[in-house]
Short mmCIF file of all heavy atoms in Angstrom, two decimals:
data_model
loop_
_atom_site.label_atom_id
_atom_site.label_comp_id
_atom_site.label_asym_id
_atom_site.label_seq_id
_atom_site.Cartn_x
_atom_site.Cartn_y
_atom_site.Cartn_z
N ILE W 105 -61.33 -48.75 -116.35
CA ILE W 105 -60.69 -47.46 -116.08
C ILE W 105 -59.61 -47.62 -115.03
O ILE W 105 -58.52 -47.06 -115.13
CB ILE W 105 -61.74 -46.43 -115.63
CG1 ILE W 105 -62.71 -46.14 -116.77
CG2 ILE W 105 -61.08 -45.14 -115.15
CD1 ILE W 105 -63.87 -45.25 -116.38
N ASN W 106 -59.91 -48.41 -113.97
CA ASN W 106 -58.92 -48.64 -112.90
C ASN W 106 -57.69 -49.35 -113.45
O ASN W 106 -56.55 -49.05 -113.07
CB ASN W 106 -59.55 -49.46 -111.77
CG ASN W 106 -60.59 -48.66 -111.00
OD1 ASN W 106 -60.53 -47.43 -110.98
ND2 ASN W 106 -61.55 -49.36 -110.40
N ALA W 107 -57.92 -50.33 -114.33
CA ALA W 107 -56.79 -51.07 -114.91
C ALA W 107 -55.94 -50.16 -115.76
O ALA W 107 -54.70 -50.20 -115.72
CB ALA W 107 -57.31 -52.24 -115.75
N GLU W 108 -56.61 -49.25 -116.52
CA GLU W 108 -55.85 -48.33 -117.37
C GLU W 108 -55.06 -47.35 -116.50
O GLU W 108 -53.91 -47.02 -116.79
CB GLU W 108 -56.82 -47.58 -118.29
CG GLU W 108 -56.12 -46.63 -119.26
CD GLU W 108 -57.12 -45.92 -120.16
OE1 GLU W 108 -58.31 -46.27 -120.09
OE2 GLU W 108 -56.68 -45.03 -120.91
N TYR W 109 -55.72 -46.86 -115.42
CA TYR W 109 -55.06 -45.92 -114.52
C TYR W 109 -53.85 -46.58 -113.85
O TYR W 109 -52.78 -45.99 -113.73
CB TYR W 109 -56.06 -45.43 -113.48
CG TYR W 109 -55.44 -44.52 -112.46
CD1 TYR W 109 -55.16 -43.18 -112.76
CD2 TYR W 109 -55.12 -45.00 -111.18
CE1 TYR W 109 -54.59 -42.35 -111.83
CE2 TYR W 109 -54.54 -44.17 -110.24
CZ TYR W 109 -54.28 -42.84 -110.56
OH TYR W 109 -53.72 -42.01 -109.63
N GLY W 110 -54.07 -47.87 -113.46
CA GLY W 110 -52.96 -48.60 -112.82
C GLY W 110 -51.81 -48.81 -113.79
O GLY W 110 -50.64 -48.72 -113.42
N GLY W 111 -52.13 -49.09 -115.06
CA GLY W 111 -51.07 -49.26 -116.05
C GLY W 111 -50.29 -47.99 -116.29
O GLY W 111 -49.07 -47.99 -116.42
N ASN W 112 -51.03 -46.87 -116.37
CA ASN W 112 -50.35 -45.58 -116.57
C ASN W 112 -49.44 -45.24 -115.39
O ASN W 112 -48.33 -44.72 -115.55
CB ASN W 112 -51.39 -44.46 -116.76
CG ASN W 112 -52.12 -44.58 -118.09
OD1 ASN W 112 -51.60 -45.20 -119.01
ND2 ASN W 112 -53.32 -44.02 -118.18
N GLU W 113 -49.95 -45.52 -114.20
CA GLU W 113 -49.14 -45.24 -113.00
C GLU W 113 -47.87 -46.09 -112.98
O GLU W 113 -46.79 -45.61 -112.65
CB GLU W 113 -49.98 -45.51 -111.75
CG GLU W 113 -49.26 -45.12 -110.46
CD GLU W 113 -50.14 -45.33 -109.26
OE1 GLU W 113 -51.29 -45.80 -109.41
OE2 GLU W 113 -49.67 -45.02 -108.15
N GLU W 114 -48.03 -47.36 -113.38
CA GLU W 114 -46.85 -48.24 -113.41
C GLU W 114 -45.85 -47.77 -114.46
O GLU W 114 -44.63 -47.77 -114.24
CB GLU W 114 -47.30 -49.67 -113.72
CG GLU W 114 -46.17 -50.67 -113.69
CD GLU W 114 -46.67 -52.09 -113.94
OE1 GLU W 114 -47.90 -52.27 -114.03
OE2 GLU W 114 -45.82 -52.98 -114.08
N THR W 115 -46.39 -47.31 -115.60
CA THR W 115 -45.50 -46.79 -116.66
C THR W 115 -44.76 -45.55 -116.19
O THR W 115 -43.58 -45.37 -116.45
CB THR W 115 -46.32 -46.47 -117.91
OG1 THR W 115 -46.99 -47.64 -118.36
CG2 THR W 115 -45.41 -45.94 -119.02
N MET W 116 -45.49 -44.67 -115.50
CA MET W 116 -44.88 -43.45 -114.99
C MET W 116 -43.79 -43.76 -113.96
O MET W 116 -42.73 -43.12 -113.93
CB MET W 116 -45.95 -42.54 -114.38
CG MET W 116 -46.91 -41.93 -115.41
SD MET W 116 -48.23 -40.97 -114.65
CE MET W 116 -47.27 -39.67 -113.88
N GLN W 117 -44.05 -44.76 -113.13
CA GLN W 117 -43.05 -45.15 -112.14
C GLN W 117 -41.79 -45.70 -112.81
O GLN W 117 -40.67 -45.37 -112.41
CB GLN W 117 -43.65 -46.19 -111.19
CG GLN W 117 -44.67 -45.62 -110.22
CD GLN W 117 -45.28 -46.67 -109.33
OE1 GLN W 117 -45.06 -47.88 -109.54
NE2 GLN W 117 -46.06 -46.25 -108.34
N LYS W 118 -42.00 -46.52 -113.83
CA LYS W 118 -40.85 -47.06 -114.56
C LYS W 118 -40.06 -45.94 -115.24
O LYS W 118 -38.83 -45.92 -115.23
CB LYS W 118 -41.32 -48.08 -115.60
CG LYS W 118 -41.82 -49.39 -115.00
CD LYS W 118 -42.22 -50.36 -116.10
CE LYS W 118 -42.68 -51.69 -115.52
NZ LYS W 118 -43.08 -52.65 -116.57
N GLN W 119 -40.83 -45.00 -115.82
CA GLN W 119 -40.16 -43.88 -116.49
C GLN W 119 -39.38 -43.04 -115.48
O GLN W 119 -38.27 -42.58 -115.75
CB GLN W 119 -41.21 -43.03 -117.21
CG GLN W 119 -40.60 -41.89 -118.04
CD GLN W 119 -41.66 -41.14 -118.81
OE1 GLN W 119 -42.84 -41.49 -118.77
NE2 GLN W 119 -41.24 -40.11 -119.51
N LYS W 120 -39.97 -42.84 -114.31
CA LYS W 120 -39.29 -42.07 -113.26
C LYS W 120 -38.02 -42.79 -112.79
O LYS W 120 -36.98 -42.17 -112.56
CB LYS W 120 -40.24 -41.87 -112.08
CG LYS W 120 -39.70 -40.91 -111.00
CD LYS W 120 -40.74 -40.66 -109.94
CE LYS W 120 -40.23 -39.65 -108.94
NZ LYS W 120 -39.00 -40.08 -108.27
N LEU W 121 -38.11 -44.13 -112.68
CA LEU W 121 -36.92 -44.90 -112.29
C LEU W 121 -35.81 -44.77 -113.34
O LEU W 121 -34.63 -44.63 -113.01
CB LEU W 121 -37.30 -46.37 -112.08
CG LEU W 121 -38.15 -46.69 -110.86
CD1 LEU W 121 -38.55 -48.16 -110.85
CD2 LEU W 121 -37.36 -46.36 -109.58
N VAL W 122 -36.23 -44.83 -114.61
CA VAL W 122 -35.25 -44.69 -115.69
C VAL W 122 -34.62 -43.30 -115.66
O VAL W 122 -33.40 -43.15 -115.81
CB VAL W 122 -35.92 -44.95 -117.06
CG1 VAL W 122 -34.96 -44.58 -118.20
CG2 VAL W 122 -36.33 -46.42 -117.18
N GLU W 123 -35.46 -42.28 -115.45
CA GLU W 123 -34.93 -40.92 -115.38
C GLU W 123 -33.98 -40.74 -114.19
O GLU W 123 -32.94 -40.08 -114.30
CB GLU W 123 -36.09 -39.92 -115.28
CG GLU W 123 -36.89 -39.80 -116.57
CD GLU W 123 -38.08 -38.87 -116.42
OE1 GLU W 123 -38.33 -38.44 -115.28
OE2 GLU W 123 -38.75 -38.60 -117.43
N ASP W 124 -34.37 -41.32 -113.05
CA ASP W 124 -33.49 -41.23 -111.87
C ASP W 124 -32.17 -41.94 -112.12
O ASP W 124 -31.10 -41.44 -111.73
CB ASP W 124 -34.20 -41.86 -110.65
CG ASP W 124 -35.37 -41.02 -110.18
OD1 ASP W 124 -35.43 -39.82 -110.56
OD2 ASP W 124 -36.22 -41.56 -109.44
N GLU W 125 -32.24 -43.10 -112.76
CA GLU W 125 -31.01 -43.83 -113.06
C GLU W 125 -30.13 -43.05 -114.04
O GLU W 125 -28.91 -42.98 -113.88
CB GLU W 125 -31.37 -45.20 -113.65
CG GLU W 125 -30.18 -46.08 -113.98
CD GLU W 125 -29.44 -46.54 -112.74
OE1 GLU W 125 -30.05 -46.52 -111.64
OE2 GLU W 125 -28.26 -46.92 -112.87
N PHE W 126 -30.77 -42.46 -115.03
CA PHE W 126 -30.04 -41.65 -116.01
C PHE W 126 -29.39 -40.44 -115.34
O PHE W 126 -28.24 -40.10 -115.62
CB PHE W 126 -30.99 -41.20 -117.12
CG PHE W 126 -30.33 -40.34 -118.16
CD1 PHE W 126 -29.52 -40.91 -119.15
CD2 PHE W 126 -30.51 -38.96 -118.17
CE1 PHE W 126 -28.90 -40.12 -120.10
CE2 PHE W 126 -29.90 -38.17 -119.12
CZ PHE W 126 -29.09 -38.74 -120.09
N ARG W 127 -30.14 -39.80 -114.42
CA ARG W 127 -29.62 -38.65 -113.71
C ARG W 127 -28.43 -39.04 -112.83
O ARG W 127 -27.43 -38.32 -112.76
CB ARG W 127 -30.72 -38.01 -112.87
CG ARG W 127 -30.32 -36.66 -112.27
CD ARG W 127 -31.44 -36.06 -111.43
NE ARG W 127 -32.66 -35.88 -112.20
CZ ARG W 127 -33.77 -36.61 -112.05
NH1 ARG W 127 -33.78 -37.60 -111.16
NH2 ARG W 127 -34.81 -36.38 -112.79
N LYS W 128 -28.53 -40.17 -112.17
CA LYS W 128 -27.44 -40.64 -111.32
C LYS W 128 -26.19 -40.91 -112.15
O LYS W 128 -25.07 -40.55 -111.76
CB LYS W 128 -27.86 -41.92 -110.59
CG LYS W 128 -28.85 -41.68 -109.45
CD LYS W 128 -29.20 -42.98 -108.75
CE LYS W 128 -30.21 -42.74 -107.64
NZ LYS W 128 -30.59 -44.02 -106.96
N ARG W 129 -26.39 -41.55 -113.30
CA ARG W 129 -25.24 -41.83 -114.17
C ARG W 129 -24.62 -40.53 -114.69
O ARG W 129 -23.40 -40.40 -114.78
CB ARG W 129 -25.67 -42.70 -115.35
CG ARG W 129 -26.03 -44.13 -114.94
CD ARG W 129 -26.35 -44.96 -116.17
NE ARG W 129 -26.68 -46.34 -115.80
CZ ARG W 129 -26.97 -47.30 -116.67
NH1 ARG W 129 -26.99 -47.02 -117.98
NH2 ARG W 129 -27.25 -48.51 -116.26
N GLU W 130 -25.47 -39.57 -115.02
CA GLU W 130 -24.97 -38.28 -115.51
C GLU W 130 -24.18 -37.56 -114.42
O GLU W 130 -23.11 -37.00 -114.67
CB GLU W 130 -26.14 -37.43 -115.98
CG GLU W 130 -25.71 -36.18 -116.75
CD GLU W 130 -26.91 -35.45 -117.30
OE1 GLU W 130 -27.99 -35.48 -116.65
OE2 GLU W 130 -26.78 -34.84 -118.37
N GLU W 131 -24.72 -37.57 -113.20
CA GLU W 131 -24.02 -36.93 -112.08
C GLU W 131 -22.71 -37.64 -111.79
O GLU W 131 -21.69 -37.00 -111.49
CB GLU W 131 -24.92 -36.94 -110.85
CG GLU W 131 -26.11 -36.00 -110.96
CD GLU W 131 -27.04 -36.14 -109.77
OE1 GLU W 131 -26.81 -37.06 -108.93
OE2 GLU W 131 -28.02 -35.36 -109.68
N ASP W 132 -22.72 -38.98 -111.86
CA ASP W 132 -21.50 -39.74 -111.63
C ASP W 132 -20.45 -39.43 -112.70
O ASP W 132 -19.26 -39.29 -112.41
CB ASP W 132 -21.83 -41.23 -111.61
CG ASP W 132 -20.62 -42.08 -111.25
OD1 ASP W 132 -20.07 -41.89 -110.15
OD2 ASP W 132 -20.22 -42.92 -112.08
N LEU W 133 -20.92 -39.31 -113.95
CA LEU W 133 -20.00 -38.99 -115.05
C LEU W 133 -19.41 -37.60 -114.86
O LEU W 133 -18.20 -37.40 -115.06
CB LEU W 133 -20.74 -39.08 -116.39
CG LEU W 133 -19.90 -38.82 -117.65
CD1 LEU W 133 -18.76 -39.83 -117.75
CD2 LEU W 133 -20.77 -38.87 -118.89
N GLU W 134 -20.23 -36.63 -114.48
CA GLU W 134 -19.74 -35.27 -114.23
C GLU W 134 -18.74 -35.25 -113.07
O GLU W 134 -17.74 -34.54 -113.11
CB GLU W 134 -20.92 -34.34 -113.93
CG GLU W 134 -21.80 -34.07 -115.14
CD GLU W 134 -22.99 -33.21 -114.79
OE1 GLU W 134 -23.18 -32.93 -113.58
OE2 GLU W 134 -23.74 -32.83 -115.71
N ARG W 135 -19.05 -36.03 -112.03
CA ARG W 135 -18.14 -36.09 -110.89
C ARG W 135 -16.79 -36.67 -111.29
O ARG W 135 -15.73 -36.16 -110.90
CB ARG W 135 -18.77 -36.94 -109.77
CG ARG W 135 -17.88 -37.08 -108.53
CD ARG W 135 -18.61 -37.91 -107.47
NE ARG W 135 -19.00 -39.21 -107.98
CZ ARG W 135 -18.17 -40.25 -108.07
NH1 ARG W 135 -16.90 -40.13 -107.68
NH2 ARG W 135 -18.59 -41.40 -108.53
N ARG W 136 -16.82 -37.72 -112.10
CA ARG W 136 -15.56 -38.32 -112.55
C ARG W 136 -14.78 -37.37 -113.46
O ARG W 136 -13.55 -37.29 -113.37
CB ARG W 136 -15.85 -39.63 -113.29
CG ARG W 136 -16.36 -40.74 -112.38
CD ARG W 136 -16.55 -42.02 -113.16
NE ARG W 136 -17.06 -43.09 -112.31
CZ ARG W 136 -17.28 -44.33 -112.72
NH1 ARG W 136 -17.04 -44.65 -114.00
NH2 ARG W 136 -17.71 -45.24 -111.89
N GLU W 137 -15.50 -36.66 -114.34
CA GLU W 137 -14.82 -35.68 -115.19
C GLU W 137 -14.18 -34.57 -114.35
O GLU W 137 -13.07 -34.12 -114.63
CB GLU W 137 -15.81 -35.08 -116.18
CG GLU W 137 -16.23 -36.04 -117.28
CD GLU W 137 -17.24 -35.41 -118.22
OE1 GLU W 137 -17.73 -34.31 -117.90
OE2 GLU W 137 -17.53 -36.02 -119.27
N ARG W 138 -14.90 -34.13 -113.32
CA ARG W 138 -14.36 -33.09 -112.44
C ARG W 138 -13.12 -33.59 -111.70
O ARG W 138 -12.12 -32.89 -111.57
CB ARG W 138 -15.45 -32.64 -111.46
CG ARG W 138 -15.02 -31.46 -110.58
CD ARG W 138 -16.21 -30.89 -109.83
NE ARG W 138 -16.88 -31.87 -108.99
CZ ARG W 138 -18.06 -32.43 -109.28
NH1 ARG W 138 -18.70 -32.10 -110.38
NH2 ARG W 138 -18.60 -33.32 -108.47
N GLN W 139 -13.18 -34.83 -111.22
CA GLN W 139 -12.03 -35.40 -110.54
C GLN W 139 -10.83 -35.55 -111.48
O GLN W 139 -9.69 -35.31 -111.09
CB GLN W 139 -12.40 -36.77 -109.94
CG GLN W 139 -13.34 -36.70 -108.76
CD GLN W 139 -13.76 -38.07 -108.27
OE1 GLN W 139 -13.55 -39.08 -108.97
NE2 GLN W 139 -14.35 -38.13 -107.09
N LEU W 140 -11.12 -35.94 -112.73
CA LEU W 140 -10.05 -36.08 -113.72
C LEU W 140 -9.39 -34.74 -114.01
O LEU W 140 -8.16 -34.65 -114.09
CB LEU W 140 -10.61 -36.70 -115.01
CG LEU W 140 -9.60 -36.95 -116.13
CD1 LEU W 140 -8.52 -37.91 -115.67
CD2 LEU W 140 -10.31 -37.50 -117.36
N ARG W 141 -10.22 -33.68 -114.17
CA ARG W 141 -9.66 -32.35 -114.40
C ARG W 141 -8.82 -31.89 -113.23
O ARG W 141 -7.75 -31.31 -113.40
CB ARG W 141 -10.79 -31.35 -114.68
CG ARG W 141 -11.45 -31.49 -116.05
CD ARG W 141 -12.27 -30.27 -116.38
NE ARG W 141 -13.35 -30.06 -115.42
CZ ARG W 141 -14.57 -30.56 -115.54
NH1 ARG W 141 -14.87 -31.31 -116.60
NH2 ARG W 141 -15.49 -30.33 -114.64
N GLU W 142 -9.31 -32.14 -112.01
CA GLU W 142 -8.55 -31.74 -110.82
C GLU W 142 -7.24 -32.50 -110.72
O GLU W 142 -6.21 -31.93 -110.35
CB GLU W 142 -9.40 -31.98 -109.57
CG GLU W 142 -10.59 -31.03 -109.45
CD GLU W 142 -11.50 -31.39 -108.29
OE1 GLU W 142 -11.24 -32.44 -107.64
OE2 GLU W 142 -12.46 -30.65 -108.03
N GLU W 143 -7.29 -33.78 -111.07
CA GLU W 143 -6.07 -34.59 -111.01
C GLU W 143 -5.06 -34.13 -112.07
O GLU W 143 -3.87 -34.03 -111.79
CB GLU W 143 -6.41 -36.06 -111.23
CG GLU W 143 -5.21 -37.01 -111.17
CD GLU W 143 -4.59 -37.09 -109.80
OE1 GLU W 143 -5.22 -36.64 -108.82
OE2 GLU W 143 -3.46 -37.60 -109.70
N GLN W 144 -5.56 -33.81 -113.27
CA GLN W 144 -4.66 -33.30 -114.31
C GLN W 144 -4.05 -31.97 -113.90
O GLN W 144 -2.86 -31.73 -114.13
CB GLN W 144 -5.44 -33.15 -115.62
CG GLN W 144 -5.79 -34.46 -116.29
CD GLN W 144 -6.64 -34.28 -117.53
OE1 GLN W 144 -7.30 -33.24 -117.70
NE2 GLN W 144 -6.65 -35.27 -118.40
N LYS W 145 -4.83 -31.11 -113.29
CA LYS W 145 -4.31 -29.82 -112.83
C LYS W 145 -3.29 -30.02 -111.72
O LYS W 145 -2.25 -29.35 -111.67
CB LYS W 145 -5.45 -28.93 -112.34
CG LYS W 145 -5.00 -27.51 -111.97
CD LYS W 145 -6.18 -26.66 -111.55
CE LYS W 145 -5.72 -25.22 -111.28
NZ LYS W 145 -4.67 -25.15 -110.25
#
Side-chain angles (χ1 to χ4, degrees):
I105 294 174
N106 290 335
E108 183 180 354
Y109 176 78
N112 290 338
E113 185 177 2
E114 184 178 354
T115 301
M116 291 175 63
Q117 288 178 351
K118 289 182 178 180
Q119 185 176 358
K120 188 175 184 301
L121 289 175
V122 171
E123 289 177 353
D124 291 342
E125 181 68 21
F126 179 77
R127 189 180 303 108
K128 286 181 182 179
R129 291 184 179 182
E130 191 174 33
E131 290 175 353
D132 185 59
L133 182 61
E134 290 177 355
R135 179 178 56 81
R136 291 183 181 182
E137 288 179 350
R138 185 169 58 254
Q139 289 176 346
L140 182 60
R141 287 195 299 269
E142 291 174 354
E143 181 66 14
Q144 288 176 339
K145 185 177 184 303

